[in-house]
Amino acid sequence: MTPSMVSFRLGIDEVHLMDDIHTVGHPARRAYYAGLEETDCEVRQQLLDLMRAGSPAALADCQQRIERCLGEIQV
């Protein structure tokens, strides 16, 4: 969810939440990024499951992700 959607769902001021998310060390920032990381892990697991089931699109996406990761490695 975007910060705007989170602020709407929680009924809090969007600008205040954005300020909190942009403040290093703020509990709101840690909570927001923890939620993003959890969602990312779930999406990656679903993608791997689809790849293992033989989805050509999932296989191509996994290959692109691996190539991006390898491209970031400095040897």
Side-chain angles (χ1 to χ4, degrees), residues 27-64:
R29 179 183 176 94
R30 288 193 300 270
Y32 184 73
Y33 279 101
L36 283 178
E37 193 273 334
E38 182 179 334
T39 301
D40 182 59
C41 286
E42 291 172 5
V43 169
R44 282 187 281 130
Q45 184 60 54
Q46 290 172 359
L47 181 62
L48 289 171
D49 292 343
L50 288 171
M51 182 195 69
R52 288 181 185 120
S55 167
L59 180 58
D61 191 37
C62 283
Q63 288 174 329
Q64 289 175 353

